Amino acid sequence: MMTKKQTPRIAIIGAGPGGLTLARVLQVRGLSAMVFEQEASPTERSQGGTLDLHQDTGQKAIRMAGLTDEFRAVARYEDQRSRLLDKNGTILLDEDPGSAGDHPEVDRTELRAILLDSLASGAVHWGCNLRSLRPMSDGCHELIFENGLRETFDLVVGADGAWSRVRPLLSQAVPLYTGVTFIETGLDQVDEEHPAVAQLVGHGSMSALAPNKGLSAQRNGHGHIRIYVAFRCPFKWETEAGFNEEQPEAARAWLLKQFADWHPSLQALLQECNDHFVVRPLYMLPVGHRWDFHSGVTLLGDAAHLMSPATGQGVNLAMLDAAELGWAISERQSLDEAIHTYEQLMFPRALAANRFADESLNVFISSDAPYGALTHVRQHFISGQALD
């Protein structure tokens, strides 16, 4: 185990759930790190939708971080229902584990707040956009930020997501378009103002599928439902076909035209949604992405193994990566040994998860939907790999 005299200078690039979990686990283990985040503050932008934390990944990381009580206080154990419908509104699958389920939901904003509140004051440095990363002759790395800050560290961890600035030091891989694009929108105060939609979605998530397209809705906290419209299509097809997210009424009319033969209860998701639309092409890193060992640098989460959201594993794996890396750093005799130990655990786990996520996306948004998806879900419910 590293002694106080050997305490390394550690930089974490990115203050998402992965980066913050690593900082927290290191803190629990008597070490410290500096977290650098390009956003100016925790509230600069929306943090996205709800997350289901799985028992053996995300929740394991929460336990290793010593935050189980804080997580349980905000987790929504009642929102674990999962429904699959066809375009006619026929329910094909309705799974409701209730509060006894083992993958409760939590809003990203609340999860981030738990992690931030658990860290020592000043651990996160906001408004620090990494410009370059330079190896030094002594094995350290110098970080240079857009705001002029320069710091040198013994270990740099890229927890900076899909378009990581750290990854190019280790790998030439870049994210690839999956062939699926989401258009995101939402509804507020659903129980009071949109009761029929609230009942359709239920306490959890709902997906309605037809060949090469789908509508998904997930219940978030505070009466919000987040909606994703999915298309299997060429990159930027929606823009070329006339969709403009900056013109809400025209955007809504365009979407309704794409779903003109769907059941009215499903069309209501688009008719009643708010005026905020965001186009989100889905990307992934190549299945099996890995790199040769490089002293003083490693990656976690999407920076290491970006995958489609079809199986809800992204944040779960990022947090487990972080917890295991933090534990290895605190237990091994050297940083090199810690990095090697961590990467040898992470690579095969990421390979399996990315392969499963890619397979699932290609079943859900496919020419065989919804029936291929129904078979897929049933197989994995039976094997214990529920799709969330």
Side-chain angles (χ1 to χ4, degrees), residues 1-12 22-23 26-27 29-36 139-141 151-157 295-297 325-339:
M1 181 182 297
M2 291 182 187
T3 66
K4 291 292 182 182
K5 187 176 181 180
Q6 297 172 311
T7 299
R9 283 177 52 81
I10 301 171
I12 302 168
L22 175 56
L26 288 171
Q27 180 176 292
R29 302 291 294 171
L31 298 169
S32 63
M34 297 175 68
V35 183
F36 297 96
C140 296
H141 290 80
E151 296 275 355
T152 301
F153 294 91
D154 302 297
L155 172 62
V156 178
V157 181
S295 182
V297 183
L325 176 57
W327 194 271
I329 291 169
S330 70
E331 286 292 318
R332 300 301 175 182
Q333 292 293 328
S334 69
L335 284 175
D336 282 357
E337 185 183 353
I339 294 170

Side-chain angles (χ1 to χ4, degrees), residues 58 65 90 111 170 184 209 221 240 253 307 311 327 347 351 362:
T90 304
L111 176 62
L170 301 174
E184 178 185 331
L209 304 176
E240 294 171 358
M307 62 191 72
T311 55
W327 194 271
F347 286 142
L351 168 62
N362 288 328

